[in-house]
Amino acid sequence: SSEVLEAIENVVLNVLTSLGKQKAPVLTVANRADWRNIEFEDSVGLQMIPCCTIRKIRSDCSRSAPKFALMLKILSMIYKMVQSNTYATKRDIYYTDTVLSGSQSIVDSIINDISCMLKIPRRSLHILSTSKGSVAGNLSYTEEDGTKVNCTCSATAVSVPSNVEGIKNLISHAKFMLIVEKDATFQRLLDDDFCNKLTPCIMITGRGVPDLNTRLFIRKLWDTFQIPIFTLMDADPHGIEIMCIYKYGSVSMSFEAHHLTVPSIKWLGLLPSDLKRLNICKDALIPFTKQDQKKLASIQKRPYVARQPVLKRELEIMAASKMKAEIQVLTSLSSDYLSRVYLPNKLQFGGWI
């Protein structure tokens, strides 16, 4: 808490110093979305370099002045919350002044800018975000308020906790974790009792691109249990992008890579090479769009691809075929092929990256 308060006080002191010198105050933030500021390290994933390019948010410029004001307002709210040990959601912050905020996405981006500027993990700023992820399987834990959560006994999934940092007493006998891209596939595996049929496991979905809480939760489970983690994604550029976020991190959150990435994550499927191996009918595949081609070309240029020859080969197979497939394509072989054949065989005999 004292570290957060001191960091905010330093920012405000710089603003006051500038005003005292009759100068327009400026806030300096790192260029979080610039690949030139990112380096890849096998043990961490994508992380921000120490001396990165910056952008200045000026108080005397009509374009940046509203953002400057909003950053100071949010800093003030964080300061009060840390002092009083209270919390607010990102949505709460947006609704304190919708005119100044502009939109929820602007508020979300500024909160990340503040976290990066202060060099303080976002969860330490007392700002919570609603989790969209779900978890099921062999896992129980206690939430910060003392609520006991038992995913093992639940026939339905449990929402990923909003305050991951506060959970404790994690207990599991799971042999592995399975991260599922889509909620529909997750629900199907839940209906098939996949978490218990093969061997005890923990199953998680971020419902597409994962939110911060889901990524923090997976990292906490990894730190606690040190069990293998596999991902089940669509065989398309979007699915690969999501797998890479879990494994290597994202550019925009690279300043927090140490808390979010799990580089040991394996890509279980659906692999582009699986489509040929399983003789999936071409009529069941979907042709690439221009956006797909652009996305795949972008992924192929990333620093971690060159260091992973097997991953590189899978991307080349997809690029050459110009075809993609959803996990649901396996139902063309049989309705329960995913849970009865595909996953058990992969987990028993290997075939992941």
Side-chain angles (χ1 to χ4, degrees):
S1 295
S2 59
E3 191 184 340
V4 180
L5 296 176
E6 188 180 343
I8 295 173
E9 285 163 5
N10 287 335
V11 172
V12 175
L13 187 62
N14 287 335
V15 169
L16 293 172
T17 302
S18 296
L19 290 170
K21 294 178 179 177
Q22 306 290 304
K23 290 181 180 177
V26 173
L27 296 174
T28 305
V29 297
N31 269 327
R32 291 186 295 111
D34 193 337
W35 274 94
R36 291 172 299 179
N37 290 333
I38 310 300
E39 63 181 3
F40 174 67
E41 194 177 304
D42 288 323
S43 61
V44 180
L46 299 174
Q47 59 179 345
M48 190 171 277
I49 59 175
C51 301
C52 59
T53 59
I54 57 168
R55 54 198 171 89
K56 294 186 174 182
I57 300 166
R58 304 189 62 85
S59 59
D60 60 349
C61 168
S62 58
R63 282 182 63 189
S64 62
K67 186 170 184 180
F68 180 92
L70 186 56
M71 284 189 80
L72 284 186
K73 183 181 177 69
I74 294 173
L75 281 167
S76 168
M77 292 177 72
I78 292 168
Y79 194 87
K80 287 172 186 171
M81 288 189 294
V82 172
Q83 276 188 320
S84 59
N85 196 28
T86 55
Y87 291 81
T89 65
K90 293 191 295 183
R91 202 79 181 136
D92 293 334
I93 288 171
Y94 167 67
Y95 277 114
T96 57
D97 193 333
T98 55
V99 176
L100 181 61
S101 299
S103 71
Q104 184 68 60
S105 60
I106 290 172
V107 171
D108 295 354
S109 178
I110 283 179
I111 290 167
N112 287 337
D113 278 338
I114 287 172
S115 175
C116 184
M117 178 177 72
L118 300 180
K119 294 181 171 55
I120 304 282
R122 206 182 81 184
R123 63 190 182 283
S124 299
L125 302 180
H126 284 231
I127 297 173
L128 304 174
S129 52
T130 306
S131 299
K132 65 171 185 169
S134 299
V135 57
N138 196 289
L139 175 69
S140 64
Y141 56 86
T142 306
E143 292 192 338
E144 190 182 34
D145 63 0
T147 304
K148 288 182 168 57
V149 179
N150 192 343
C151 306
T152 313
C153 301
S154 181
T156 56
V158 172
S159 292
V160 167
S162 293
N163 190 352
V164 175
E165 186 73 6
I167 65 173
K168 51 189 181 291
N169 303 331
L170 288 100
I171 300 167
S172 177
H173 304 291
K175 301 300 180 191
F176 66 92
M177 274 188 270
L178 181 67
I179 301 169
V180 183
E181 176 188 351
K182 287 180 174 173
D183 188 48
T185 309
F186 178 85
Q187 294 298 335
R188 180 59 199 265
L189 290 172
L190 207 57
D191 292 342
D192 290 346
D193 197 26
F194 178 76
C195 294
N196 300 310
K197 266 185 182 172
L198 190 64
T199 187
C201 75
I202 299 168
M203 204 164 62
I204 297 172
T205 180
R207 295 180 179 173
V209 177
D211 61 314
L212 185 71
N213 289 333
T214 302
R215 292 175 64 190
L216 283 169
F217 190 59
I218 288 168
R219 176 58 193 249
K220 191 174 186 88
L221 293 177
W222 160 247
D223 287 339
T224 306
F225 302 119
Q226 298 282 306
I227 54 177
I229 306 179
F230 301 100
T231 58
L232 182 63
M233 308 281 148
D234 287 339
D236 64 14
H238 189 65
I240 294 167
E241 171 88 285
I242 291 169
M243 182 274 295
C244 291
I245 288 173
Y246 284 114
K247 184 175 174 67
Y248 303 114
S250 59
V251 176
S252 63
M253 294 297 289
S254 59
F255 64 94
E256 254 202 85
H258 289 271
H259 310 289
L260 294 172
T261 60
V262 185
S264 62
I265 282 175
K266 309 295 182 190
W267 183 17
L268 187 72
L270 188 62
L271 303 181
S273 58
D274 288 339
L275 302 176
K276 187 176 181 181
R277 181 176 61 83
L278 297 172
N279 292 316
I280 300 292
C281 175
K282 272 210 164 185
D283 292 341
L285 304 179
I286 307 164
F288 261 23
T289 63
K290 283 186 178 179
Q291 194 176 359
D292 289 327
Q293 287 181 312
K294 191 176 176 183
K295 170 71 77 178
L296 184 58
S298 164
I299 294 170
Q300 286 178 299
K301 291 174 187 170
R302 293 181 187 174
Y304 44 74
V305 173
R307 307 263 277 271
Q308 304 280 341
V310 187
L311 171 61
K312 186 179 179 184
R313 178 64 188 141
E314 290 291 338
L315 300 184
E316 286 168 353
I317 291 170
M318 184 180 284
S321 73
K322 291 188 170 63
M323 302 293 275
K324 60 183 181 179
E326 296 183 338
I327 295 164
Q328 284 77 6
V329 77
L330 296 176
T331 57
S332 65
L333 302 173
S334 76
S335 60
D336 60 350
Y337 192 86
L338 175 64
S339 60
R340 183 176 56 84
V341 181
Y342 183 82
L343 288 175
N345 283 351
K346 280 262 183 169
L347 291 163
Q348 187 175 350
F349 302 114
W352 55 74
I353 295 173

